[in-house]
Amino acid sequence: MAHPAIDAFTTWCFKAGQTPARALANMQDTAGTPLPFDLTFWDTSLEPAPDAPAHAERRCEVAFDGDHVRDAVNAVQSKMATPPVFGTPIPLPAPYAAEPGTAYIEGRELLRGRVAVVHIGRRGARTFIGVDRLPAGMGLPE
């Protein structure tokens, strides 16, 4: 059985239009309260996020204890391949790069001039799964 963070991520992190409060409520509906993982979520196209980097307008990331990388990669790749398919692979846009512990990282061209970066790996004893959406026109191959 997959960790609840994996299920919550694949259910909610690819869905646009969520405020941080809505994303948290959705995740709690899926994984329980309190969440059995750490959630980082913001979307500057909907609400200000003062700590958001300029290269990403939306971030959804979960981090949780243990080595669940293989299950996470399998679940995320399966979700991205399920209609509606989550974009098409493109070269990894700057400033994204694999960090130590990365098991999977990929840029994806989405609709309407958008790009997303999906990143899965380990930081110490924790698994992380994240997806960033870049501002329109940013990160597209030339």
Side-chain angles (χ1 to χ4, degrees), residues 32-55:
T33 304
L35 290 176
F37 53 87
D38 295 331
L39 171 64
T40 301
F41 184 92
W42 40 261
D43 186 335
T44 62
S45 71
L46 299 175
E47 291 183 356
D51 296 331
H55 64 269

Side-chain angles (χ1 to χ4, degrees), residues 38-97:
D38 295 331
L39 171 64
T40 301
F41 184 92
W42 40 261
D43 186 335
T44 62
S45 71
L46 299 175
E47 291 183 356
D51 296 331
H55 64 269
E57 75 176 1
R58 181 181 186 274
R59 175 169 293 159
C60 187
E61 181 179 290
V62 298
F64 48 103
D65 293 338
D67 183 356
H68 303 275
V69 169
R70 179 167 293 168
D71 288 341
V73 170
N74 290 340
V76 168
Q77 287 179 329
S78 176
K79 175 68 174 182
M80 290 190 310
T82 302
V85 173
F86 186 71
T88 56
I90 60 170
L92 199 59
Y96 292 92

